[in-house]
Amino acid sequence: MTSEAAVSTSAISSTPAKRDYHFLRSFVAGGVAGCCAKTTIAPLDRVKILLQAQNAHYKHLGVFSTLRAVPQKEGYRGLYKGNGAMMVRIFPYGAIQFMAFDKYKKLLSKKIGISGHIHRLMAGSMAGMTAVICTYPLDVIRARLAFQVTGEHRYTGIANAFHTIYLKEGGVMGFYRGLTPTLIGMAPYAGFSFFTFGTLKSLGLKHFPELLGRPSSDNPDVLILKTHVNLLCGGVAGAIAQTISYPLDVARRRMQLGAILPDSEKCVSLRKTLMYVYTEYGIKKGLYRGLSLNYIRCVPSQAVAFTTYEFMKQMLHLN
């Protein structure tokens, strides 16, 4: 029996029809994984945005007090504000990211000759940036909708937000505010996320196959991690990746929110945004504000994402 990573890709048919079908199944697996992960932590995601951008109604509160305050002020549906836009974005985002990771990993190892653990880091970074570029406007819309507070709505929905931003914030470029810090932050985040998960997975199956692994349901010759081990490895991967990239995530959110922030003129570039947040709020209450929440949200999010993707690979016979 071999580990999943050791299975030869020659088992996949080389005919165009089969390759297209495999491409579609891979796309669906990644999309479902992303949607499951984000739905799990949607309330925490909204609180993070409110705290990162110092929303006037909640900036004096902490993580858990904000979680209590949002339902009191906006109802329990307020915890999921912007989640519809997130689902529209996250399916293609998750699909592209997971699918691109597999493609880039094969490209780096077979075409360029980069192998070992480093190719996971590089492939993860490239996959994350590819997914961001393809879905970034939807991320901006989702952030704008999540930042709104009941009674003070600037946008009535996804379509209205697209229309308003396009007309009032410079056309297409208005949808790409904060893209630079997003790409810079995504490189270490996605890279270390895939790197950590892949490394823990391969080491676990290599050194403790009977303790940590089990045969894949769709291919008994392939050894995969047990579900609880998958969840653990995904959680560790998310925690490490978030710690490294969090200040850039704060800058990204502030640049995305743009004109709806009272201090938006001070957040027009990555350097200026980071300097402003640091000068005005410091490290703990500025650059790392909401990090405790991110630990709470990123661990289950990444755990569910990787575990769901591994499950979908079996369901769709991708192993």
Side-chain angles (χ1 to χ4, degrees):
M1 183 176 290
T2 60
S3 70
E4 181 182 343
V7 176
S8 171
T9 57
S10 62
I12 300 174
S13 173
S14 60
T15 64
K18 287 294 185 180
R19 281 204 303 269
D20 290 344
Y21 186 49
H22 183 271
F23 172 89
L24 179 60
R25 286 180 292 162
S26 180
F27 189 87
V28 171
V32 171
C35 287
C36 289
K38 284 299 182 180
T39 300
T40 301
I41 50 90
L44 297 174
D45 232 10
R46 183 172 186 230
V47 169
K48 186 190 79 166
I49 292 174
L50 292 171
L51 293 181
Q52 279 184 334
Q54 310 285 342
N55 185 283
H57 294 275
Y58 303 106
K59 67 180 182 179
H60 61 288
L61 302 175
V63 171
F64 295 106
S65 52
T66 302
L67 279 171
R68 291 192 298 268
V70 169
Q72 292 173 1
K73 182 175 180 60
E74 306 178 58
Y76 282 100
R77 292 182 63 182
L79 291 172
Y80 289 87
K81 185 171 290 184
N83 195 53
M86 172 58 80
M87 291 300 99
V88 173
R89 167 189 172 261
I90 204 61
F91 187 91
Y93 178 88
I96 292 169
Q97 185 180 42
F98 278 103
M99 184 175 62
F101 173 71
D102 290 336
K103 297 295 183 183
Y104 284 137
K105 190 168 64 171
K106 292 174 184 176
L107 174 66
L108 290 170
S109 61
K110 292 187 176 182
K111 302 294 184 181
I112 303 178
I114 300 175
S115 58
H117 297 308
I118 191 64
H119 82 301
R120 291 196 190 98
L121 181 62
M122 294 178 64
S125 297
M126 294 163 65
M129 290 189 288
T130 299
V132 163
I133 292 171
C134 292
T135 63
Y136 192 75
L138 292 168
D139 192 31
V140 172
I141 297 299
R142 187 263 168 168
R144 297 288 183 97
L145 294 177
F147 188 71
Q148 295 184 133
V149 174
T150 299
E152 300 178 7
H153 283 189
R154 179 184 291 252
Y155 313 110
T156 58
I158 297 174
N160 178 254
F162 266 109
H163 183 69
T164 304
I165 293 171
Y166 182 81
L167 291 180
K168 297 183 178 181
E169 299 186 35
V172 175
M173 294 306 297
F175 296 106
Y176 285 91
R177 285 180 61 99
L179 178 61
T180 298
T182 301
L183 290 175
I184 294 173
M186 181 53 66
Y189 175 74
F192 279 100
S193 184
F194 278 101
F195 168 79
T196 304
F197 179 79
T199 300
L200 290 174
K201 176 181 174 181
S202 62
L203 290 176
L205 291 176
K206 179 180 179 181
H207 297 290
F208 308 100
E210 295 183 358
L211 179 63
L212 304 180
R214 64 177 178 83
S216 172
S217 60
D218 71 316
N219 187 350
D221 293 328
V222 174
L223 194 64
I224 62 173
L225 291 176
K226 295 177 180 178
T227 301
H228 68 281
V229 181
N230 249 325
L231 288 167
L232 178 62
C233 291
V236 171
I240 292 174
Q242 284 288 349
T243 302
I244 294 171
S245 63
Y246 193 75
L248 292 166
D249 191 39
V250 172
R252 170 177 71 104
R253 286 300 184 198
R254 282 188 156 267
M255 293 179 71
Q256 281 182 336
L257 293 170
I260 68 175
L261 290 179
D263 52 4
S264 60
E265 74 282 354
K266 298 177 181 178
C267 302
V268 295
S269 70
L270 174 59
R271 184 183 66 82
K272 288 182 178 180
T273 302
L274 288 172
M275 287 301 299
Y276 169 70
V277 173
Y278 172 73
T279 303
E280 189 72 16
Y281 303 105
I283 296 177
K284 183 178 179 180
K285 295 184 178 181
L287 295 177
Y288 279 93
R289 179 169 172 78
L291 180 60
S292 58
L293 173 62
N294 239 34
Y295 283 135
I296 297 172
R297 61 178 285 281
C298 77
V299 170
S301 176
Q302 288 299 92
V304 170
F306 281 114
T307 303
T308 303
Y309 185 65
E310 295 292 309
F311 173 76
M312 291 299 297
K313 284 168 66 178
Q314 297 176 67
M315 291 289 293
L316 298 175
H317 307 291
L318 291 170
N319 285 330

